[in-house]
Amino acid sequence: MTSSEASPSFRLAYVPGVTPTKWVRIWNERLPDVPLTLIPVSAAEACAVLRDGGADAGFLRLPVDRTDLAAIPLYTETTVVVVPKDHLITAFDEVTAEDLADEIVLHPLDETLEWEHRPGLPALERPATTADAIELVAAGVGLLVVPQSLARLHHRKDLTYRPVSDAPASRVALSWPQEETTDLVEDFIGIVRGRTVNSTRGRSQAPAPAQPKVKRPEAPATRRKPAGGKPGGKTAGKPVGKSGGKSPRSGSGGSGGSGGSKGSGRRGKPRRRS
């Protein structure tokens, strides 16, 4: 990847039938400071626009010359035949190229399908564009085989379409000049490929700032138990204000406080009885 300065905007070309709305919305959410400019181009001029620097990347139809253009295939479209609503073909869910053998099939100059053998009978003149060919179908001049997205783009109330099961398919790709794979191009590739904002692929992201470590509160110190399994401390296990054991001022059989035995309050040795 070549590094280059970020341009003030990202220019995205797209051919008829491609709807880039979803990708543009994601771009605006992720890079709100970099405006994305849409550039509609015809299928015939799409590659030239990329080569001449008219767009940073573009949605176009394959094939492309990969000598100087990179391309990521995205999806394949169904091919359909556009017919008037009262045509016999509308009686079928789908048709084959052989079913069109006796019909005049229009081949506009901007056709995107690659035929080995074009179906149907050729018209006297080739329409300049797909839009012109649609008008001729509506006038009853002939039929038109196109990718389904183009049939929807040029929808008319008096026309409909049916799939052509064995017709060549049209593939849509994201393309850009290989020598101009900028950071913005990498960003858009990531969006198209469904990468998340935090994906490690594509454009490198600045490392997140280190979060300060939170110290856990220390556990309270465990009190040691005295030998013999008795609780420590002078008043451990006893109500406050009451002393346990013998009174320090009593004799061997006395107890402290009122209600004790006689003589519990005398000091010295007991008198000997005569």
Side-chain angles (χ1 to χ4, degrees), residues 249-262:
R249 295 183 178 180
S250 63
S252 59
S255 60
S258 60
S261 60
K262 292 181 180 180

Side-chain angles (χ1 to χ4, degrees), residues 9-137:
S9 67
F10 185 75
R11 299 161 301 163
L12 179 66
Y14 67 101
V15 298
V18 176
T19 306
T21 307
K22 176 182 69 174
W23 298 302
V24 172
R25 175 180 55 81
I26 297 174
W27 175 278
N28 291 333
E29 291 173 355
R30 295 187 185 179
L31 292 92
D33 297 331
V34 183
L36 188 152
T37 304
L38 290 174
I39 303 174
V41 296
S42 67
E45 66 180 354
C47 292
V49 169
L50 294 178
R51 290 190 178 101
D52 296 341
D56 300 297
F59 291 111
L60 44 71
R61 298 183 186 276
L62 296 176
V64 299
D65 184 357
R66 302 206 182 192
T67 303
D68 57 345
L69 294 179
I72 300 175
L74 300 178
Y75 58 89
T76 301
E77 289 194 65
T78 300
T79 301
V80 301
V81 57
V82 181
V83 300
K85 279 193 172 180
D86 58 355
H87 197 280
L88 293 176
I89 285 179
T90 59
F92 303 94
D93 292 332
E94 67 175 23
V95 296
T96 65
E98 183 63 27
D99 295 328
L100 307 177
D102 297 330
E103 303 283 349
I104 294 177
V105 178
L106 304 168
H107 300 290
L109 296 176
D110 63 354
E111 183 178 29
T112 59
L113 300 174
E114 290 192 320
W115 294 94
E116 185 176 352
H117 301 289
R118 288 179 172 172
L121 304 173
L124 295 178
E125 294 183 4
R126 296 184 63 183
T129 65
T130 298
D132 294 336
I134 290 289
E135 295 295 330
L136 294 176
V137 174

Side-chain angles (χ1 to χ4, degrees), residues 246-251 264 266-267:
K246 297 181 180 180
S247 171
R249 295 183 178 180
S250 63
S264 59
R266 298 178 182 177
R267 295 182 180 180

